[in-house]
Structure formats: C-alpha cells, structure tokens
Amino acid sequence: MSATLPRPHRHDVLIAVAGLGFGLLLWGIGLDNQGGEGLLGGSWVLLPLALMSALELLRRTRPRFALLAGTLALVGDQFTDGSLSTVVMYTDLMYAAVVYGSPALARRLPVTTGLITVGVTIGFLAWFRTPEALLVGVVTGLVSFAPACTGALLRDHRDAAEAARLRAEQTALLAEMDRAQAVAAERARMARELHDLVANHLSAIAIHSTAALSLNEEKTTREALAVIRENSVDGLAEMRRLIGILRDDSGEHEPAAAPTLDGLAQLVEGARTNGLDVELRYPDGPAATGGREEPGAALPAPVELAAYRIVQESLTNALKHAAPGRVTVTLRRGPEALEVRVRSPYARRSGPRAPGGGAGLVGMRERVALLRGEFTAEVADGGVWEVRAGLPLDGGAEPARRTARTVRAPWPGRSEDEERPG
C-alpha cells in the first residue's frame, strides 16, 4: 500500500503562495541578494524559490523533512543571485520545525542553531580577520537561531496552556466524581434514616393488626388497635419531620436534633408497649450513656447516633423475629470504644411476624463501618440471637485497623447463607 502525503493546512497553502508570489515579484523587478553576481545567474534563482515554496506546504505535516530539504534549497540559493523570499521562507520552516516537530527536535534545534551561529561567526572572523565578518554571524543567527528560539518560546507557552487545560478538565472530572459520591452517600444515609425512623412503627402495626385479625375478643382487639393507632401516629410524625427537612431549602430552619442515648429509656418503653419484655443495662453506670453526670466524658455525636439506631433496629428485629422471652440491651463504655450488645431469644420460625427486606442488618453494618468499628450478628451460646457493635470513641477519625463485619447465621425460614432480615 503506497503512502500518501498528508493534505496541507490551508494556512500553509497561503504562506506558500504568498512566498512564491513575493519571490517572483522581486525577480521580476531585478532585486536579488548578491547584486547579480551569483555563480548561476538568470532564472536559476527561481529553482530554490519554487522548492522552498513547495516545502512550505509540508511545514505543519512533515516539519523535519521540510527543514532538511529547505536547508539544501537555501545552500543552493547561495550559488544563484539569491532571493530574499527564499531566505524568509526558510526562517519560517525553522520556526515551524520547532513548533510542530517532535519534542526532541524542538529541544535540539535551538541548541544546534546556536552552536552553528557561534561557529560561523568565529570561522569567518578567522578567515577574513575584519569586523565586517561579524555580519555573517548576525545574518546566520537571524536566519536560524532567532526563529528556532521564537518557536521554542511559543511551544513552551502552548504546552503550558495545554497542561493547564488538562488540569482543569481533571479537576472538573474529580469534582464531578466527588459530587456523585456525595450524592450516593447522602442517598444511602437518607435510606438508613428513613428505615430506622419508620421500621419500628410499621413492624408494630403489622404485628398487632395480625393479632387483631386473628383474635375475636373485643378487649384484645381494642388494645391492638390502640397500639396500631399510636404507632401509626408516631410513624407519620417521624415521616413528616423527615420530609420537612428534605423539602426545606431556605436554610432558615435547623434540622431536628439527632437522637442520643438519653432517649434509650423512651425507646425501650415504646418497645415494651409493643409487647416486648426489654431490660436496659448499664454495667459501667452513667458513663456508659455518655457520662452526663461526669463533666468532659460525653460521647461523640456520631457514636451516640449509631448506638441509638443499632438498639432501635435490634428491638425492631426482636419484635419481628424473636421467640417469647426477655430482650436485654447492654451498653458498656471501654477505654477506646462503646460496646452495644442486644440479646434476644432465638427460635426457628417459618417466617417473620412482619415482612422485612433485610435492610436492617445492612444499615447497622454501614453505620458501624462509617465509624471504623466492629459489628457481628449471630446465634450465640445459650440459644440467643446477639447483635454486638464496637464503636470507637474517636468517631472513626483514626486510620482503621479493624473493619465492620457481619456474621451470617441461620434465621427462621432462611438458609445458612442468608442474613437475618432487618
């Protein structure tokens, strides 16, 4: 397959036509560089002129070849009467070779032309031994070294502009990636909050409505309906509060305060109302709940929120899955972490008493992972389901040496490879 010459740029065509026309005009009016004393007189001057003009078509697509051939044409022009247009077009080829050539060529040409200029100046001074010989060095520098340096400066500016453009594009790309990650993280956080807010109430509604439908006793039915109404009202209030926060973009209202461990007693009391036998334990005294009675011993807000939500979701799971018996919630504050442990009676069932999609364990694991803590959910010794979370007191600020994990365990109606539903 034969190689085809690349199509010249339209600007290069204009430069070639203008150079050829200018050279023909100078030849027509009899102006030349050597006053008609060239070795080859007459129309021989047109040959280097035409060749140089043709090479201008390759100044952008084949700059190295154009410069080498142009150098030969310039040398040949010295044996004719000489044309100023030929010399000017050669300087343009030198400039184009630096601007459009390879990086190696762009680095070498200014150095090479500088050494040639110095060598020509010294050589002619040694040959003629007159100050006028310096003019030969000046002309050589103007024809070769000056356009090479100009091209190098322009190329440096162009490369710097291109690098700045690439950095701007990379910055914009990184900003877009950060925005997408922030949106995804916010969506996950909203999903966790929404699940934790309404799951407990909806589970209680589902369980008590089932009881009301299955029993034909007026007293039991009225009690179940009362619990259903209370949980539905509370659930709607929580939903309105969350939706209000999401819709409020004025910035005039502060979001509602996140729940803390101070609200555990009320949370446990609500679970008891829903029919659970719950015991809340603080083996280390008030310090386990944040040290409200000990100045300076308060827990970080992210740790308190995660602990509250883990207890809330564990109680919801116990309401849906646990066998009859006591559920114990234990909080213990260590030197480096707050330990949250919820134990409920374990029994195999054909299915949960209320539907669940498995989001509860996922949400608890994510909360603990954000704090760089440890999380397990498994059947412990004694036939109890145990949820245990270790929440570092530094709120996840230090590099993680441990990662949150979930232990898979069998649950009624599920295989060994499935998680307990949330």
Side-chain angles (χ1 to χ4, degrees):
M1 184 175 63
S2 60
T4 58
L5 290 176
R7 185 175 181 178
H9 194 275
R10 59 189 182 91
H11 292 168
D12 299 341
V13 175
L14 293 177
I15 293 174
V17 172
L20 179 61
F22 181 60
L24 291 175
L25 176 63
L26 293 178
W27 177 71
I29 62 178
L31 291 178
D32 55 65
N33 295 341
Q34 301 188 31
E37 298 180 0
L39 184 62
L40 298 174
S43 60
W44 282 100
V45 69
L46 299 180
L47 182 61
L49 174 67
L51 178 58
M52 196 73 75
S53 177
L55 292 174
E56 285 283 16
L57 299 175
L58 304 176
R59 64 189 292 274
R60 197 184 306 259
T61 56
R62 297 285 181 85
R64 186 187 186 93
F65 171 78
L67 179 62
L68 292 176
T71 302
L72 295 178
L74 182 66
V75 172
D77 186 65
Q78 306 308 308
F79 294 94
T80 68
D81 291 340
S83 173
L84 178 62
S85 180
T86 302
V87 177
V88 172
M89 285 191 287
Y90 177 78
T91 61
D92 180 68
L93 291 181
M94 180 67 70
Y95 165 84
V98 177
V99 174
Y100 303 113
S102 65
L105 182 64
R107 289 192 301 268
R108 292 170 184 169
L109 278 180
V111 177
T112 302
T113 54
L115 294 176
I116 291 176
T117 300
V118 173
V120 168
T121 302
I122 295 175
F124 274 89
L125 275 175
W127 186 10
F128 291 111
R129 297 181 182 277
T130 59
E132 289 76 8
L134 291 174
L135 295 177
V136 178
V138 172
V139 172
T140 303
L142 291 175
V143 172
S144 60
F145 182 64
C149 290
T150 304
L153 290 175
L154 179 64
R155 181 165 183 148
D156 288 342
H157 286 298
R158 187 186 66 183
D159 292 345
E162 180 66 16
R165 185 186 65 82
L166 291 177
R167 284 196 299 270
E169 291 180 353
Q170 292 175 355
T171 301
L173 179 61
L174 291 175
E176 178 62 22
M177 292 175 61
D178 290 343
R179 187 197 66 82
Q181 292 176 356
V183 169
E186 183 63 16
R187 291 179 63 181
R189 186 189 69 83
M190 290 168 56
R192 287 194 303 270
E193 290 296 324
L194 181 60
H195 176 275
D196 292 342
L197 284 174
V198 302
N200 185 43
H201 298 298
L202 294 181
S203 297
I205 291 173
I207 292 171
H208 285 82
S209 62
T210 302
L213 291 173
S214 61
L215 298 177
N216 197 21
E217 299 179 5
E218 181 179 354
K219 180 180 179 181
T220 304
T221 302
R222 291 183 63 85
E223 290 176 354
L225 291 176
V227 175
I228 290 173
R229 183 184 185 282
E230 179 181 352
N231 280 277
S232 62
V233 171
D234 292 342
L236 285 173
E238 293 287 356
M239 286 290 294
R240 290 194 188 98
R241 183 181 68 83
L242 181 60
I243 293 174
I245 293 174
L246 295 177
R247 286 183 172 177
D248 182 18
D249 57 357
S250 63
E252 299 177 358
H253 303 286
E254 291 293 332
T260 65
L261 296 184
D262 286 336
L264 279 184
Q266 182 178 357
L267 181 65
V268 169
E269 187 61 31
R272 290 171 182 159
T273 303
N274 291 330
L276 280 181
D277 181 11
V278 186
E279 179 184 1
L280 185 59
R281 298 177 180 177
Y282 301 120
D284 298 329
T289 63
R292 301 301 190 276
E293 299 179 8
E294 298 180 11
L299 292 172
V303 175
E304 288 205 58
L305 176 60
Y308 181 92
R309 293 303 190 196
I310 290 171
V311 173
Q312 183 183 43
E313 181 58 31
S314 298
L315 293 178
T316 300
N317 283 349
L319 182 65
K320 293 161 57 177
H321 303 283
R326 172 159 294 187
V327 178
T328 59
V329 179
T330 306
L331 277 76
R332 187 190 305 272
R333 178 171 182 168
E336 296 182 356
L338 174 68
E339 181 185 11
V340 180
R341 182 175 301 186
V342 182
R343 296 167 64 90
S344 56
Y346 175 76
R348 292 187 176 274
R349 295 177 180 272
S350 60
R353 286 178 287 183
L361 284 179
V362 174
M364 288 191 285
R365 181 173 63 244
E366 290 177 349
R367 289 186 184 276
V368 177
L370 289 174
L371 297 177
R372 304 181 186 274
E374 288 186 349
F375 175 77
T376 58
E378 59 187 348
V379 179
D381 296 337
V384 295
W385 177 265
E386 183 178 76
V387 174
R388 185 171 61 254
L391 307 175
L393 298 181
D394 59 5
E398 296 297 327
R401 289 181 292 179
R402 302 172 298 180
T403 57
R405 59 189 179 92
T406 297
V407 176
R408 297 178 181 266
W411 193 251
R414 292 182 179 260
S415 65
E416 294 287 337
D417 295 330
E418 293 181 306
E419 290 183 355
R420 176 179 174 181

mmCIF file of all heavy atoms in Angstrom, residues 300-316:
data_model
loop_
_atom_site.group_PDB
_atom_site.id
_atom_site.type_symbol
_atom_site.label_atom_id
_atom_site.label_comp_id
_atom_site.label_asym_id
_atom_site.label_seq_id
_atom_site.Cartn_x
_atom_site.Cartn_y
_atom_site.Cartn_z
ATOM 1 N N PRO A 300 -18.944 11.198 71.465
ATOM 2 C CA PRO A 300 -19.114 11.931 70.204
ATOM 3 C C PRO A 300 -20.513 11.710 69.639
ATOM 4 O O PRO A 300 -21.088 10.623 69.762
ATOM 5 C CB PRO A 300 -18.031 11.327 69.298
ATOM 6 C CG PRO A 300 -17.033 10.714 70.224
ATOM 7 C CD PRO A 300 -17.813 10.258 71.421
ATOM 8 N N ALA A 301 -21.056 12.729 68.992
ATOM 9 C CA ALA A 301 -22.414 12.644 68.450
ATOM 10 C C ALA A 301 -22.594 11.491 67.462
ATOM 11 O O ALA A 301 -23.613 10.781 67.515
ATOM 12 C CB ALA A 301 -22.795 13.973 67.792
ATOM 13 N N PRO A 302 -21.633 11.233 66.532
ATOM 14 C CA PRO A 302 -21.826 10.097 65.620
ATOM 15 C C PRO A 302 -21.912 8.764 66.347
ATOM 16 O O PRO A 302 -22.650 7.870 65.923
ATOM 17 C CB PRO A 302 -20.591 10.158 64.704
ATOM 18 C CG PRO A 302 -20.122 11.567 64.776
ATOM 19 C CD PRO A 302 -20.423 12.006 66.174
ATOM 20 N N VAL A 303 -21.157 8.627 67.431
ATOM 21 C CA VAL A 303 -21.180 7.375 68.195
ATOM 22 C C VAL A 303 -22.538 7.207 68.872
ATOM 23 O O VAL A 303 -23.132 6.119 68.858
ATOM 24 C CB VAL A 303 -20.037 7.358 69.230
ATOM 25 C CG1 VAL A 303 -20.122 6.116 70.117
ATOM 26 C CG2 VAL A 303 -18.692 7.414 68.530
ATOM 27 N N GLU A 304 -23.056 8.278 69.470
ATOM 28 C CA GLU A 304 -24.365 8.193 70.133
ATOM 29 C C GLU A 304 -25.463 7.871 69.126
ATOM 30 O O GLU A 304 -26.352 7.046 69.398
ATOM 31 C CB GLU A 304 -24.671 9.509 70.850
ATOM 32 C CG GLU A 304 -23.836 9.757 72.095
ATOM 33 C CD GLU A 304 -24.529 10.695 73.068
ATOM 34 O OE1 GLU A 304 -25.660 10.381 73.495
ATOM 35 O OE2 GLU A 304 -23.940 11.732 73.378
ATOM 36 N N LEU A 305 -25.435 8.522 67.955
ATOM 37 C CA LEU A 305 -26.459 8.268 66.953
ATOM 38 C C LEU A 305 -26.409 6.818 66.481
ATOM 39 O O LEU A 305 -27.453 6.147 66.364
ATOM 40 C CB LEU A 305 -26.272 9.212 65.763
ATOM 41 C CG LEU A 305 -27.219 8.997 64.571
ATOM 42 C CD1 LEU A 305 -28.670 9.174 64.986
ATOM 43 C CD2 LEU A 305 -26.864 9.930 63.420
ATOM 44 N N ALA A 306 -25.196 6.317 66.199
ATOM 45 C CA ALA A 306 -25.069 4.934 65.735
ATOM 46 C C ALA A 306 -25.543 3.955 66.801
ATOM 47 O O ALA A 306 -26.258 2.986 66.494
ATOM 48 C CB ALA A 306 -23.614 4.646 65.351
ATOM 49 N N ALA A 307 -25.172 4.190 68.061
ATOM 50 C CA ALA A 307 -25.599 3.291 69.131
ATOM 51 C C ALA A 307 -27.117 3.298 69.274
ATOM 52 O O ALA A 307 -27.753 2.240 69.428
ATOM 53 C CB ALA A 307 -24.935 3.698 70.440
ATOM 54 N N TYR A 308 -27.729 4.469 69.214
ATOM 55 C CA TYR A 308 -29.184 4.564 69.336
ATOM 56 C C TYR A 308 -29.867 3.802 68.197
ATOM 57 O O TYR A 308 -30.809 3.040 68.419
ATOM 58 C CB TYR A 308 -29.595 6.028 69.323
ATOM 59 C CG TYR A 308 -31.088 6.251 69.476
ATOM 60 C CD1 TYR A 308 -31.660 6.449 70.726
ATOM 61 C CD2 TYR A 308 -31.935 6.256 68.362
ATOM 62 C CE1 TYR A 308 -33.033 6.653 70.869
ATOM 63 C CE2 TYR A 308 -33.302 6.451 68.489
ATOM 64 C CZ TYR A 308 -33.840 6.656 69.751
ATOM 65 O OH TYR A 308 -35.197 6.837 69.890
ATOM 66 N N ARG A 309 -29.395 4.010 66.960
ATOM 67 C CA ARG A 309 -30.026 3.362 65.823
ATOM 68 C C ARG A 309 -29.833 1.844 65.856
ATOM 69 O O ARG A 309 -30.722 1.086 65.448
ATOM 70 C CB ARG A 309 -29.461 3.923 64.516
ATOM 71 C CG ARG A 309 -29.799 5.380 64.246
ATOM 72 C CD ARG A 309 -31.284 5.626 64.234
ATOM 73 N NE ARG A 309 -31.625 6.967 63.755
ATOM 74 C CZ ARG A 309 -32.789 7.544 63.927
ATOM 75 N NH1 ARG A 309 -33.760 6.897 64.572
ATOM 76 N NH2 ARG A 309 -33.018 8.757 63.473
ATOM 77 N N ILE A 310 -28.679 1.388 66.332
ATOM 78 C CA ILE A 310 -28.451 -0.055 66.426
ATOM 79 C C ILE A 310 -29.402 -0.682 67.430
ATOM 80 O O ILE A 310 -29.990 -1.741 67.183
ATOM 81 C CB ILE A 310 -26.980 -0.331 66.792
ATOM 82 C CG1 ILE A 310 -26.066 0.023 65.607
ATOM 83 C CG2 ILE A 310 -26.779 -1.792 67.193
ATOM 84 C CD1 ILE A 310 -24.601 -0.017 65.927
ATOM 85 N N VAL A 311 -29.577 -0.031 68.585
ATOM 86 C CA VAL A 311 -30.526 -0.538 69.576
ATOM 87 C C VAL A 311 -31.946 -0.509 69.003
ATOM 88 O O VAL A 311 -32.720 -1.465 69.159
ATOM 89 C CB VAL A 311 -30.430 0.278 70.876
ATOM 90 C CG1 VAL A 311 -31.540 -0.131 71.849
ATOM 91 C CG2 VAL A 311 -29.069 0.096 71.524
ATOM 92 N N GLN A 312 -32.299 0.578 68.314
ATOM 93 C CA GLN A 312 -33.641 0.704 67.755
ATOM 94 C C GLN A 312 -33.918 -0.403 66.741
ATOM 95 O O GLN A 312 -34.963 -1.057 66.778
ATOM 96 C CB GLN A 312 -33.786 2.073 67.092
ATOM 97 C CG GLN A 312 -35.177 2.351 66.528
ATOM 98 C CD GLN A 312 -35.228 3.696 65.815
ATOM 99 O OE1 GLN A 312 -34.320 4.040 65.067
ATOM 100 N NE2 GLN A 312 -36.277 4.460 66.072
ATOM 101 N N GLU A 313 -32.981 -0.639 65.840
ATOM 102 C CA GLU A 313 -33.187 -1.661 64.831
ATOM 103 C C GLU A 313 -33.177 -3.061 65.446
ATOM 104 O O GLU A 313 -33.930 -3.938 65.016
ATOM 105 C CB GLU A 313 -32.099 -1.551 63.754
ATOM 106 C CG GLU A 313 -32.216 -2.564 62.627
ATOM 107 C CD GLU A 313 -33.550 -2.481 61.909
ATOM 108 O OE1 GLU A 313 -34.116 -1.374 61.837
ATOM 109 O OE2 GLU A 313 -34.029 -3.533 61.426
ATOM 110 N N SER A 314 -32.345 -3.285 66.462
ATOM 111 C CA SER A 314 -32.308 -4.591 67.118
ATOM 112 C C SER A 314 -33.624 -4.886 67.810
ATOM 113 O O SER A 314 -34.118 -6.026 67.782
ATOM 114 C CB SER A 314 -31.149 -4.638 68.119
ATOM 115 O OG SER A 314 -29.906 -4.476 67.475
ATOM 116 N N LEU A 315 -34.220 -3.874 68.440
ATOM 117 C CA LEU A 315 -35.519 -4.071 69.075
ATOM 118 C C LEU A 315 -36.602 -4.345 68.024
ATOM 119 O O LEU A 315 -37.514 -5.153 68.246
ATOM 120 C CB LEU A 315 -35.888 -2.847 69.914
ATOM 121 C CG LEU A 315 -35.011 -2.603 71.149
ATOM 122 C CD1 LEU A 315 -35.459 -1.340 71.871
ATOM 123 C CD2 LEU A 315 -35.049 -3.795 72.092
ATOM 124 N N THR A 316 -36.498 -3.673 66.865
ATOM 125 C CA THR A 316 -37.453 -3.945 65.795
ATOM 126 C C THR A 316 -37.319 -5.377 65.296
ATOM 127 O O THR A 316 -38.320 -6.081 65.087
ATOM 128 C CB THR A 316 -37.227 -2.966 64.629
ATOM 129 O OG1 THR A 316 -37.398 -1.630 65.100
ATOM 130 C CG2 THR A 316 -38.204 -3.225 63.494
#
